[in-house]
Amino acid sequence: MPRRRPPWLHALGATVLALAAAVGARLAFLGADDGLAASATYFPAFILAAYHGGLRWGWAALAASVLLGIAAPGLLAVAETADQLLLFVASGALTVVAAGLLRQGLIRMNDMRKALQHARDALQRSEATARLAEEIGGYGFWDRDILTDKSIWSSGLYRIYGLEPGPPPSLREVLQRIHPDDRDMMRRLTIESLTTGRMDPAEFRVVRPDGDVRWVMSRAEMIRNAQGEVVRAVGVNIDITEQRRANQKLRESEARFHALADSAPVLLWVSRPDNTREFVNKTYVDFLGVPYDEAVAFDWRRRVHPDDVGRIVEEQMLGESSLKPFTLEARFLRRDGEWRWIRSVSQPRLDPSGAFAGLIGIGYDITEAHRAEEDLTRINELLAERVQAALAERDQAEAALQRAQKLEAVGQLTGGVAHDFNNLLTVVIGALDLMQRHPDDADRRERMIEAALGAARRGERLTQQLLAFSRRQNLRPELVCVDDLLRESEPLLRRVVGEAVTFTLASAASGALARIDPSQLEAAVMNMVVNARDATADGGAIRIETRVAPLAAGEVEDLSAGQYLCVAVHDTGVGMAPEVIARVFEPFFTTKEVGKGTGLGLSQVYGFARQSGGGVAIDSAPGKGATVRFFLPLAEAEPPGAPAPCPLEPPPPVHPALSVLLVEDDDAVGDLVFAMLQELGHSVIRAANVDDAEPILRGDQTVDLLLTDLVMPGGRTGVDLAREATALRVGLPVILSSGYTGDALSAADGAPWLLLRKPYSAETLAHAIETALARAVEAV
């Protein structure tokens, strides 16, 4: 930055230049004789000198001009020279004075301008500070003339009321901005302030134009005139919404704390640094049996057992002085006069600055624990009795619930079985009745025989479905490639679905094997597809997918984590509600119309899946279709060289007549099988149970084959009889027969004898006899 030259240098330069200009002008116009004479041409020099340097520089310029005039040649020779010189000096002096005064005036004006600008800057800074303070503090100032109802509002006040800056509203308009519930109060306070000349602080709500409600606190001073009349009100409004909300939250928090503390079944208290209580809960008050105010100020030493008071006072003093959590145990007198052991845990609490603010404590009754320590054996016995009683009560409740659930399930099951078997028996009984009435009508007899046999076969299928659900059927598992099996079944499945619904088979488990009964898998998939078809309207779609699916533990009911083969049937049908999904696997449960379904389709799927080591899961919602997923355990391929399953060999040639020991506890079934055996040319020895059969086996009577029911009364099964028979008569052929194996199935598993499932025909019985004889020959 260039250095600023001093004022005197400006004045000297201006004076020299002005004098030089004046002399130069006179020399140019008047010549050398008059060029230096005193003249008005010097006055600009006086003005410049006085303006820039002040009066002293003006006087210096005037003196220099006089000297130049006196030195001018011939000036004193002129008669008027003295007068002219005097006039020149007087005029020059007036000019210098005027210029000096002008300079001082301009300086003062400049100083005033600077002072005014400084004041304006200070005012702007002050206003900005005030606005910032208003914005930060959430307050606004107002000044109201009572006589004219004219007001002055700060910007903060507009912000509090949610108004745009403009002419301040009237008192009536301000009252309209106040919440309706607070408006009468503020109107009354305003009238009282005009009457009394004093306005107390007030809190009220303001409704902003956007509907936001703000809490405002108003403070004001009323100003009187010389006559004592209130003529002006000056005040400040503070937005206290956040404080009110914080206080409300604090009150709610305290109310929740008090409610929680009062609901606790333990003694709670909060103390001050001087160890006096400032809060106790209801349990505390109830224990003492005194009013709350007395409980807060109560001296606990009055209720401590005499044997404990010395110890507990000492321990309490040590605990409080440590400023750490501490525990006390002592006997205290309850309001009912009983001594109770109380264990208290006290925790120091700190204020926001980190200083000790007192204790918060909890006390709970441990009398029972002390009694248990005093008489552990008695309490343990009592506890054991109570536990046993509780367990017995629980077991009874669970048993009652299970009985009720079983009764409900059995009721539904028996109802469904009775309904279906009544239909089948109607056909059988009706056919037999017609044959009995018309024994000579061969055509009718053949038709009735076919009808009766058809009904009986349907009964057999129904029985097999029930066994599948109960997981009691005798499966014939083998390694099956599910994708290949489904591709073979695809034409039949398409015919079942029909042309009105789109059918898709998407196989993605190529090469995956499962050890299952293929016929039962086909039946399960067929049941799922039929259900999907019945739920899907024309134009819908059914899709079968296969894939290898990893499952986490518990993802499907009762299935452990691992890799499973998943067969999924998706449909776009009506879907199922949760209450339907919960019952969909129950036998005979169906949502279809009467006559449209038996309710055994998905129960067969469920039973087969569980019996095969897998599970079933359903995803569905009303109107969202359904997806039934069938999970099967993956199986490893047979090692190279393992023998492939052999097809069933054709029966050996017909054997000569045999002496068959028939053990059957059901007389009707025994009579029927007796007739079948006689029809096949065999002689029959009858026994009703194991006890009746044993003497025959131990005797000398010829027995070529044992045909025994698997489940019989008396506690022993047909497997037990077969073992005893083959021990008594080595190599004796045995056939086990049963329609429902139940728990005896586990005993039959692994037995070396043929299992013939009821019902069966004479042809099936003949084949079983020949197979049993062939096995006996091979064993020899």
Side-chain angles (χ1 to χ4, degrees), residues 283-312:
T283 305
Y284 190 107
V285 175
D286 292 343
F287 188 94
L288 292 176
V290 299
Y292 180 85
D293 293 339
E294 291 186 32
V296 171
F298 196 87
D299 185 357
W300 268 103
R301 289 172 294 185
R302 295 163 49 191
R303 292 288 185 95
V304 180
H305 195 281
D307 295 342
D308 300 336
V309 64
R311 171 183 58 82
I312 199 170

Coordinates of all heavy atoms in Angstrom, one line a residue, residues 283-312:
T283 N -44.9 -51.2 47.7 CA -44.6 -52.3 48.5 C -43.8 -51.9 49.7 O -44.0 -52.5 50.8 CB -43.7 -53.3 47.6 OG1 -44.4 -53.6 46.5 CG2 -43.4 -54.5 48.4
Y284 N -43.0 -50.9 49.6 CA -42.3 -50.3 50.7 C -43.3 -49.8 51.8 O -43.1 -50.1 53.0 CB -41.4 -49.2 50.2 CG -40.4 -48.6 51.2 CD1 -39.0 -48.9 51.0 CD2 -40.7 -47.7 52.1 CE1 -38.1 -48.3 51.9 CE2 -39.8 -47.1 53.0 CZ -38.5 -47.4 52.9 OH -37.6 -46.9 53.7
V285 N -44.2 -49.0 51.3 CA -45.2 -48.4 52.2 C -46.1 -49.5 52.9 O -46.3 -49.5 54.1 CB -46.1 -47.5 51.4 CG1 -47.3 -46.9 52.3 CG2 -45.3 -46.3 50.9
D286 N -46.5 -50.5 52.1 CA -47.3 -51.6 52.6 C -46.5 -52.4 53.6 O -47.1 -52.9 54.6 CB -47.7 -52.5 51.5 CG -48.7 -51.8 50.5 OD1 -49.3 -50.8 50.9 OD2 -48.9 -52.3 49.4
F287 N -45.2 -52.6 53.4 CA -44.4 -53.4 54.4 C -44.4 -52.7 55.8 O -44.6 -53.3 56.8 CB -43.0 -53.5 53.9 CG -42.2 -54.5 54.7 CD1 -42.1 -55.8 54.4 CD2 -41.5 -54.0 55.8 CE1 -41.3 -56.7 55.1 CE2 -40.7 -54.8 56.6 CZ -40.6 -56.2 56.2
L288 N -44.3 -51.3 55.7 CA -44.3 -50.6 57.0 C -45.6 -50.4 57.6 O -45.8 -50.3 58.8 CB -43.6 -49.2 56.8 CG -42.1 -49.1 56.4 CD1 -41.7 -47.7 56.1 CD2 -41.3 -49.7 57.6
G289 N -46.7 -50.3 56.7 CA -48.0 -50.1 57.2 C -48.3 -48.7 57.7 O -49.1 -48.5 58.6
V290 N -47.6 -47.7 57.1 CA -47.8 -46.3 57.5 C -48.1 -45.5 56.3 O -47.9 -46.0 55.1 CB -46.5 -45.8 58.2 CG1 -46.3 -46.6 59.5 CG2 -45.3 -45.8 57.3
P291 N -48.6 -44.3 56.4 CA -48.9 -43.4 55.2 C -47.6 -43.1 54.5 O -46.5 -43.2 55.0 CB -49.5 -42.2 55.8 CG -50.1 -42.6 57.1 CD -49.2 -43.6 57.6
Y292 N -47.7 -42.7 53.2 CA -46.6 -42.5 52.4 C -45.6 -41.5 53.0 O -44.4 -41.7 53.0 CB -47.0 -42.0 51.0 CG -45.9 -41.8 50.0 CD1 -45.3 -42.8 49.3 CD2 -45.3 -40.5 49.9 CE1 -44.2 -42.6 48.4 CE2 -44.3 -40.3 49.0 CZ -43.7 -41.3 48.3 OH -42.7 -41.1 47.5
D293 N -46.1 -40.3 53.5 CA -45.2 -39.3 54.0 C -44.4 -39.8 55.2 O -43.2 -39.5 55.3 CB -46.1 -38.1 54.4 CG -46.7 -37.4 53.2 OD1 -46.2 -37.6 52.1 OD2 -47.7 -36.6 53.4
E294 N -45.1 -40.6 56.0 CA -44.3 -41.2 57.1 C -43.3 -42.2 56.6 O -42.2 -42.4 57.2 CB -45.3 -41.9 58.1 CG -46.1 -40.9 58.9 CD -47.0 -41.6 59.9 OE1 -46.5 -42.6 60.5 OE2 -48.1 -41.2 60.2
A295 N -43.7 -43.0 55.6 CA -42.7 -44.0 55.1 C -41.5 -43.4 54.5 O -40.4 -43.9 54.7 CB -43.5 -44.8 54.0
V296 N -41.6 -42.2 53.8 CA -40.5 -41.6 53.3 C -39.5 -41.1 54.4 O -38.3 -41.2 54.2 CB -40.9 -40.4 52.4 CG1 -39.7 -39.5 52.0 CG2 -41.7 -40.8 51.2
A297 N -40.0 -40.7 55.5 CA -39.2 -40.2 56.6 C -38.9 -41.2 57.6 O -38.3 -40.9 58.7 CB -39.8 -38.9 57.2
F298 N -39.3 -42.4 57.4 CA -39.2 -43.5 58.5 C -37.8 -43.9 58.7 O -37.0 -44.0 57.8 CB -40.0 -44.7 58.1 CG -40.4 -45.6 59.2 CD1 -41.5 -45.4 60.0 CD2 -39.5 -46.7 59.5 CE1 -41.8 -46.3 61.0 CE2 -39.8 -47.5 60.5 CZ -40.9 -47.3 61.3
D299 N -37.4 -44.0 60.0 CA -36.1 -44.5 60.4 C -36.1 -46.0 60.5 O -36.7 -46.6 61.4 CB -35.7 -43.9 61.8 CG -34.3 -44.3 62.1 OD1 -33.6 -45.0 61.4 OD2 -33.8 -43.8 63.2
W300 N -35.4 -46.7 59.5 CA -35.5 -48.1 59.5 C -34.9 -48.8 60.7 O -35.2 -50.0 61.0 CB -34.7 -48.6 58.2 CG -35.6 -48.7 57.0 CD1 -35.7 -47.9 56.0 CD2 -36.5 -49.8 56.8 NE1 -36.6 -48.3 55.1 CE2 -37.1 -49.5 55.5 CE3 -36.9 -50.9 57.4 CZ2 -38.1 -50.3 55.0 CZ3 -37.8 -51.8 56.9 CH2 -38.4 -51.4 55.6
R301 N -34.1 -48.2 61.4 CA -33.5 -48.8 62.6 C -34.5 -49.2 63.6 O -34.3 -50.1 64.5 CB -32.4 -47.9 63.2 CG -31.1 -47.8 62.3 CD -30.2 -46.7 62.8 NE -30.8 -45.4 62.7 CZ -30.1 -44.3 63.0 NH1 -28.8 -44.4 63.5 NH2 -30.7 -43.1 62.9
R302 N -35.7 -48.5 63.6 CA -36.7 -48.8 64.5 C -37.4 -50.2 64.2 O -38.0 -50.8 65.0 CB -37.8 -47.8 64.4 CG -37.3 -46.4 64.9 CD -38.3 -45.3 64.5 NE -39.7 -45.6 64.8 CZ -40.7 -44.9 64.3 NH1 -40.4 -43.8 63.5 NH2 -41.9 -45.2 64.6
R303 N -37.2 -50.7 63.0 CA -37.8 -52.0 62.6 C -36.7 -53.1 62.5 O -37.1 -54.2 62.1 CB -38.5 -51.8 61.2 CG -39.7 -51.0 61.3 CD -40.9 -51.6 62.1 NE -42.1 -50.9 62.0 CZ -43.1 -51.0 61.1 NH1 -42.9 -51.9 60.2 NH2 -44.2 -50.3 61.2
V304 N -35.5 -52.9 62.7 CA -34.4 -53.9 62.5 C -34.4 -54.8 63.8 O -34.6 -54.3 64.9 CB -33.1 -53.3 62.3 CG1 -32.0 -54.4 62.1 CG2 -33.1 -52.4 61.0
H305 N -34.2 -56.1 63.6 CA -34.2 -57.0 64.7 C -33.0 -56.6 65.6 O -31.9 -56.2 65.2 CB -34.0 -58.4 64.2 CG -34.2 -59.5 65.2 ND1 -33.3 -59.8 66.2 CD2 -35.3 -60.3 65.4 CE1 -33.8 -60.8 66.9 NE2 -35.0 -61.1 66.5
P306 N -33.2 -56.7 66.9 CA -32.1 -56.3 67.9 C -30.8 -57.0 67.6 O -29.8 -56.4 67.8 CB -32.7 -56.6 69.3 CG -34.2 -56.5 69.0 CD -34.5 -57.0 67.7
D307 N -30.9 -58.3 67.2 CA -29.7 -59.0 67.0 C -29.0 -58.6 65.7 O -27.8 -58.9 65.5 CB -30.0 -60.5 66.9 CG -30.6 -61.1 68.2 OD1 -30.4 -60.4 69.2 OD2 -31.2 -62.2 68.1
D308 N -29.6 -57.8 64.8 CA -29.0 -57.5 63.6 C -28.7 -56.0 63.5 O -27.9 -55.6 62.6 CB -30.0 -57.8 62.4 CG -30.3 -59.3 62.3 OD1 -29.5 -60.1 62.8 OD2 -31.4 -59.6 61.8
V309 N -29.2 -55.1 64.4 CA -29.1 -53.7 64.2 C -27.7 -53.2 64.2 O -27.3 -52.4 63.4 CB -30.0 -53.0 65.2 CG1 -29.5 -53.2 66.7 CG2 -30.1 -51.5 64.9
G310 N -26.9 -53.7 65.2 CA -25.5 -53.2 65.3 C -24.7 -53.6 64.0 O -24.0 -52.7 63.4
R311 N -24.8 -54.8 63.5 CA -24.1 -55.3 62.3 C -24.5 -54.5 61.1 O -23.7 -54.0 60.3 CB -24.3 -56.8 62.1 CG -23.8 -57.3 60.8 CD -24.1 -58.8 60.6 NE -25.6 -59.0 60.7 CZ -26.4 -58.9 59.7 NH1 -26.0 -58.4 58.5 NH2 -27.7 -59.1 59.8
I312 N -25.9 -54.3 60.9 CA -26.3 -53.7 59.7 C -26.0 -52.2 59.6 O -25.7 -51.7 58.5 CB -27.8 -54.0 59.5 CG1 -28.2 -53.8 58.0 CG2 -28.7 -53.1 60.4 CD1 -29.6 -54.2 57.7

